[in-house]
Amino acid sequence: MAIIKFPEHFKWGAATAAYQIEGAVKEGGRGESIWDRFSHTPGKVINGDNGDIACDSYHLYREDIALMKDLGISVYRFSISWPRIFPEGIGKVNEEGVKYYHDFVDELLHNGIEPMCTLYHWDLPQALQDKGGWANRETIEAFGQYASFMFQEFKGKISKWLTINEPWCVSFLSNYLGAHAPGNKDLQLATTISHHLLVAHGLAVSQFRKIGEGEIGFAPNLEWLEPFSNKEEDIQACNRGIAWFIEWFMDPVFHGKYPEFLLDWFKDKGVTLSIDEGDMEQISQPIDILGINYYTGSVGRYKEGEGLFDLEPIDIGYAKTDIGWNIYPEGFYKALHKLKVQYGDIPIYITENGACYNDEVENGEVKDTRRIEYLKQHLISLKRAIDSGVNIQGYLTWSLLDNFEWAEGYDMRFGLIHINFKTLARTKKDSYFWYKQMIGNTWFER
Ligand SMILES: CCOCCOc1ccc(-c2cn(C[C@@H]3NC[C@@H](O)[C@H]3O)nn2)cc1
């Protein structure tokens, strides 16, 4: 048997997000978010599920933190519900919301768990959406005000910040593919939004440099694409598909410019970017940490006219998780290696990696052996990336809890802890016990 051992000071954690776990959507002075509106729109979310109650972590966070302490994680990634702080997105602060997050963060710190805070994890205040949302440059300023408030308010308590979670999902999945809130299907709109998100990220970083303490970054998601053959057309098609997730967002932040070949590709689709003076300088201010979210990869080949990039993902028979995503740990290593080659030694935290398996409680147990296998396979790839020189500082699995998986609702379960969404009972899965032992040992047996 092989022993897969991680560095002694490697940080182990878990991740969640406000709209997916909190519930209490009309409590504590919280304003409406675009996900309240979207999830209550018939046909948008499977089973008509919504985040009204979710895991009720708004009320049960002390129980959740006790579970985190038992699990042995040293860092917990959560997100702030922007409309809990600014119910209208800007202007009047909701003091109840501020107090809630102080109580929450204090409980984390009291239990020796480091908070990693995501400022924007998709729950835009609806009041801002009503004025155009991320398509309106005023939202950039609103995000800057929100971020500045949070940096000042939580100085000395939170020292790891992420500005935007998965800007590809916020822009293209939500405004071109239409799968997430607000559900637009407009490539020009989505591309404009992707730029505004990056400008907003840069504004928050510039404010952080004046006000904040600690480290700041953002958390792009990426899906790997393996060429079906070594035909140049297949390789180039997959490069385009990968660049949509990686270069489109990482090049502006790390190199101060968009990838020319994608700009040209979008131009041929009639899509242009309106870049204001100073935007690229703002976007490309140095960041301290990089969050990376990885779940899956696919095999792709060139097919003229297919999708946005003449790229056809093909199913060659890889095993899949219960949400239908390929299990492709090699893509994890390849993506991380690509990041080192193209963007250098920025300290990386894996801010999301995990599997959807919908095992239920039987006799008080959840025997999610498939999740343990997924974690092992991906941690093996992660260790390969670390040993090949990628500067990875920590791994936070998605997710601590089963939760509201966006348009997939509650059927799709990613947690180490099972949630009974009727009783809100928490049940530790077998993967919880495996992760706990692995954290304690800093190694696992293969
Ligand atoms: C119309 C076509 O639509 C196809 C669906 O296309 C996607 C792509 C990607 C995702 C996706 C979901 N997640 C997990 C989340 N990451 C953040 C955290 O909140 C997790 O819940 N990552 N990527 C969903 C859907």
Side-chain angles (χ1 to χ4, degrees), residues 157-188:
K157 290 187 178 182
I158 300 175
S159 57
K160 279 188 179 58
W161 296 89
L162 299 167
T163 55
I164 309 279
N165 182 68
E166 297 185 352
W168 180 89
C169 288
V170 181
S171 51
F172 294 109
L173 181 63
S174 304
N175 291 282
Y176 170 55
L177 299 174
H180 284 190
N184 297 309
K185 295 185 178 181
D186 178 330
L187 184 59
Q188 178 62 65

Side-chain angles (χ1 to χ4, degrees), residues 46-66:
I46 288 179
N47 304 325
D49 288 344
N50 58 60
D52 290 2
I53 300 171
C55 307
D56 196 27
S57 288
Y58 181 80
H59 296 109
L60 300 175
Y61 70 84
R62 291 183 181 84
E63 181 179 348
D64 294 342
I65 293 173

Side-chain angles (χ1 to χ4, degrees), residues 286-320:
I287 57 176
D288 310 301
I289 55 175
L290 175 66
I292 289 295
N293 297 352
Y294 178 87
Y295 291 91
T296 186
S298 303
V299 171
R301 69 182 165 200
Y302 175 76
K303 183 177 180 183
E304 190 174 355
E306 182 71 20
L308 188 53
F309 297 109
D310 293 349
L311 166 66
E312 175 190 33
I314 47 175
D315 186 349
I316 63 168
Y318 286 132
K320 294 172 176 47

Side-chain angles (χ1 to χ4, degrees), residues 230-238 240 301-302 310:
N230 61 4
K231 279 193 273 183
E232 191 57 24
E233 60 184 23
D234 288 352
I235 294 167
Q236 291 312 319
C238 287
R240 291 191 292 271
R301 69 182 165 200
Y302 175 76
D310 293 349

Side-chain angles (χ1 to χ4, degrees), residues 36 89 215 242 331:
D36 297 295
E215 302 167 299
I242 288 171

